[in-house]
Amino acid sequence: MTDTIDTLRARMEAAAAAMDFETASRLRDRINLLRGGAEPDAAQAADTGGLTRQRPGAMGLGTSRQRVEPPPGWTPPRKPNLMVTRKR
């Protein structure tokens, strides 16, 4: 499998040097599928044209966690007055 990945990497670099970025991106996606454990035949047959990559900050602060939204009708509680002292 490492020979296959090395061969694909060499083809990807050659395609990028020739300014054929579409071919280079398809080869990059095949390499990632092979590294992820896909069978070589399945990686070659996979259509990676519809894959989209996560954009940093699109789902939060650079993570894959979604942004939290309060439920409808929720109002934040009053902030405490720090100038008031409690009796003990």
Side-chain angles (χ1 to χ4, degrees), residues 30-48:
R30 278 183 55 196
I31 291 169
N32 288 336
L33 286 172
L34 287 173
R35 284 184 180 158
E39 296 292 324
D41 295 335
Q44 185 173 3
D47 179 24
T48 59

Side-chain angles (χ1 to χ4, degrees), residues 4-83:
T4 305
I5 290 176
D6 290 337
T7 304
L8 289 174
R9 182 181 295 135
R11 288 176 49 199
M12 178 186 70
E13 290 172 358
M19 302 275 200
D20 186 6
F21 298 116
E22 291 177 8
T23 302
S25 68
R26 280 194 301 270
L27 291 168
R28 177 203 58 213
D29 293 338
R30 278 183 55 196
I31 291 169
N32 288 336
L33 286 172
L34 287 173
R35 284 184 180 158
E39 296 292 324
D41 295 335
Q44 185 173 3
D47 179 24
T48 59
L51 293 180
T52 57
R53 302 199 180 279
Q54 179 182 356
R55 294 171 301 175
M59 298 292 286
L61 299 174
T63 67
S64 61
R65 216 170 19 178
Q66 295 182 354
R67 291 186 178 140
V68 178
E69 294 183 16
W74 181 81
T75 57
R78 293 185 336 186
K79 293 186 178 181
N81 185 353
L82 300 177
M83 300 304 288

